[in-house]
Amino acid sequence: GESVGLHLPTLSVQEGDNSIINCAYSNSASDYFIWYKQESGKGPQFIIDIRSNMDKRQGQRVTVLLNKTVKHLSLQIAATQPGDSAVYFCAESPPGGSQGNLIFGKGTKLSVKP
Amino acid sequence: SAVISQKPSRDICQRGTSLTIQCQVDSQVTMMFWYRQQPGQSLTLIATANQGSEATYESGFVIDKFPISRPNLTFSTLTVSNMSPEDSSIYLCSVEKGSGGATEAFFGQGTRLTVV
């Protein structure tokens, strides 16, 4: 198959700074979006989700923004900590499918410098 | 939440052989999903497995290559058949579980497969 590339985009931030990770999704009709965190050797871990009838949702230290006009999601992490270092994936749930049937974005590797 | 256990956690296999990966969930779930994550890449859905029916495969994945079993509501297996080095990936089991009208997808820790 086609090789997309073996190197994920990387975001490097200083501990304590805010991080913003961006994602473009593919299906304008998708109605549910999730951000996952994947640490080395582990499966993806749910961070926060948002439905298409919202444009912003806040959690503990994290905020997800949804711009349906340009099919764009972002994840903001406040006061980034070394434990936040991981690969972050956005995922969308296309209409008509279950919420376990997900299309994942390419992922961004977040590196936090102490 | 759901606790998902996958076995084996990793394996190194000879080309041409087959490997069966097991996924055990700590509670009954209707739908289970199998994903592949190739090195340095994102996750791609292989198939959806419902208990009591044939698995539904995504484009590019076929039953002969990735047979799936779903004998009950807490267990599923994925077999990677006639393996080649291109099958070297992390294979992840996922379940959909809901409460209070909302559902969430939970993932196992993955099985890291290397084909030599």
Side-chain angles (χ1 to χ4, degrees):
Chain A
E2 179 182 356
S3 174
V4 175
L6 298 180
H7 299 287
L8 292 167
T10 299
L11 174 65
S12 185
V13 301
Q14 204 69 40
E15 181 180 0
D17 287 352
N18 296 334
S19 302
I20 300 176
I21 300 171
N22 296 304
C23 174
Y25 62 92
S26 59
N27 190 332
S28 58
S30 291
D31 54 8
Y32 179 62
F33 306 88
I34 315 102
W35 278 100
Y36 284 95
K37 173 185 180 183
Q38 187 176 28
E39 297 174 285
S40 180
K42 297 183 179 180
Q45 179 185 2
F46 174 95
I47 301 174
I48 191 168
D49 60 0
I50 189 168
R51 297 204 171 272
S52 58
N53 62 350
M54 303 172 69
D55 53 21
K56 181 179 180 179
R57 190 162 187 229
Q58 287 186 291
Q60 188 176 21
R61 277 203 310 120
V62 295
T63 301
V64 55
L65 299 177
L66 173 63
N67 185 331
K68 295 182 285 294
T69 303
V70 294
K71 294 191 290 185
H72 184 268
L73 270 173
S74 68
L75 177 70
Q76 300 177 2
I77 304 173
T80 314
Q81 302 167 2
D84 295 326
S85 295
V87 178
Y88 289 81
F89 294 98
C90 67
E92 62 184 296
S93 178
S98 73
Q99 289 175 183
N101 182 336
L102 299 171
I103 300 172
F104 280 79
K106 293 190 187 303
T108 297
K109 183 176 181 179
L110 176 64
S111 177
V112 182
K113 295 176 287 189
Chain B
S1 66
V3 177
I4 303 167
S5 301
Q6 282 186 236
K7 289 182 181 179
S9 58
R10 58 177 63 229
D11 207 343
I12 301 173
C13 300
Q14 295 290 323
R15 67 178 68 199
T17 63
S18 297
L19 175 72
T20 295
I21 302 167
Q22 299 179 5
C23 177
Q24 179 75 52
V25 192
D26 67 342
S27 56
Q28 293 184 341
V29 292
T30 302
M31 304 182 80
M32 296 179 77
F33 306 86
W34 287 99
Y35 285 82
R36 180 176 73 182
Q37 186 174 24
Q38 293 176 299
Q41 296 191 34
S42 188
L43 286 77
T44 301
L45 181 65
I46 298 172
T48 303
N50 290 340
Q51 194 266 338
S53 62
E54 291 272 332
T56 303
Y57 288 82
E58 298 298 307
S59 176
F61 298 97
V62 295
I63 188 171
D64 289 347
K65 177 67 177 178
F66 297 102
I68 287 171
S69 79
R70 182 78 202 274
N72 58 53
L73 290 173
T74 63
F75 187 79
S76 177
T77 67
L78 170 76
T79 299
V80 187
S81 303
N82 187 25
M83 289 182 284
S84 66
E86 290 72 32
D87 294 320
S88 297
S89 291
I90 300 172
Y91 292 86
L92 294 131
C93 172
S94 170
V95 304
E96 181 184 81
K97 195 160 175 72
S99 65
T103 60
E104 186 179 319
F106 296 90
F107 286 83
Q109 83 281 11
T111 296
R112 184 178 293 272
L113 170 62
T114 302
V115 184
V116 297

